[in-house]
Amino acid sequence: MQRIFAADIGGTNARFALFTVYEGNLTLMSAVWAKSADLGNAHNVLQAMQQLLQSSFSAGDSLVIALAGPVSGLRGKLTNGQLRVDLDGIAQQYNLACCLLLNDFSAQAFATLTPCGAAAALVRSSTRFIDESRETRAVLGAGTGLGAAMLVRSGDPDPAGSWVAVPSEAGHTAFAFVGPEEQAYQAFLARELGRDYPTAENVLSGEGLSVLHYYLSGQFFYPPAVGAEALSHETPTLLWYARFWGRFCRQWILTTLCRGGLWIAGGIAAKNPLCLTHPAFMQELGLVPDIGGIAASAPIYLVTDGNSGLWGAACAAVEHLSCRVPRAEKNG
């Protein structure tokens, strides 16, 4: 049996968990949440992880950290926060079997292979029969920021092929506004943010949701309050926000060719599922020509488990370790 220490650190919350792996089966032993603002560097993260989980690193354990920001090798930084992480030398210091740092949505991509992915709520079923177990998968999620990634199968047609997460900064691309009404909002949002053009993150993140509701209602609320005020029943804010969500989902499906499915994670959608079941969301998915029927055929799921990033991080460690084993040995 092997232990995996996992962390999923976003702009607001830092989640820590201890998993065990036995004969390939991943089991969550404990999980705790903390505030990301209390973490400034890798030392803070490792200290908090061991203290909160009440367990210290031992030789042969694995460590994996998912970070909401750009990652290169064992170094990364939080996009919406001050945290900088450098894990260089940590594996040797603690005699760890595995030490990984990955983007948080790379972890969410791996989470689609875990019980979290299997338990996700079906938003829209596929219109055709597809062997989803081998097809590319994609993930999106909005909270403090907006994340996106995809999961692709390597080694085809070998059934023992592994999965590879492909991170993305799609949330920082310019958002597509359509028509005079939306273009008027685009100009308003650009002025409010003090930037030349709004990105998808500016539109769909918590901050963007607050600005949208202010624009449409004249009332300003922080994101959690907007959900309670305007996303739990029929309002102009719900209509616009659902339409924006549908547009970005359609674009990401077409970009990634995720015939295996699109999983939507993040706190906003999980707490406000009407954003994805509203007719405006479904209508927006089918507004443009769908080359090859990809946008129509990809199933869409809503992830409701707040620990999905932890599951995905641990799954990434399992995948990394399994790839180190020679193929003949893996096949017994």
Side-chain angles (χ1 to χ4, degrees), residues 128-252:
R128 61 180 67 173
F129 175 77
I130 298 174
D131 181 7
E132 299 172 8
S133 66
R134 301 190 60 79
E135 294 287 349
T136 295
R137 302 174 175 211
V139 289
L140 285 174
T144 305
L146 175 66
M150 56 192 294
L151 192 71
V152 298
R153 187 86 176 191
S154 68
D156 286 343
D158 184 352
S162 60
W163 289 96
V164 178
V166 182
S168 165
E169 289 295 345
H172 296 291
T173 59
F175 188 81
F177 293 91
V178 179
E181 282 190 324
E182 290 189 10
Q183 289 164 0
Y185 174 61
Q186 177 185 12
F188 173 83
L189 181 58
R191 289 194 302 271
E192 286 291 304
L193 299 173
R195 48 193 315 167
D196 294 334
Y197 67 87
T199 66
E201 179 171 288
N202 297 146
V203 173
L204 294 174
S205 70
E207 179 186 32
L209 176 58
S210 290
V211 176
L212 175 65
H213 185 63
Y214 175 66
Y215 176 77
L216 294 173
S217 71
Q219 299 176 304
F220 179 82
F221 296 103
Y222 288 104
V226 176
E229 178 72 22
L231 299 184
S232 60
H233 57 284
E234 187 65 47
T235 65
T237 301
L238 175 61
L239 173 65
W240 280 56
Y241 193 63
R243 185 170 70 225
F244 288 158
W245 253 118
R247 186 173 306 160
F248 194 63
C249 286
R250 183 189 70 229
Q251 292 171 334
W252 192 233

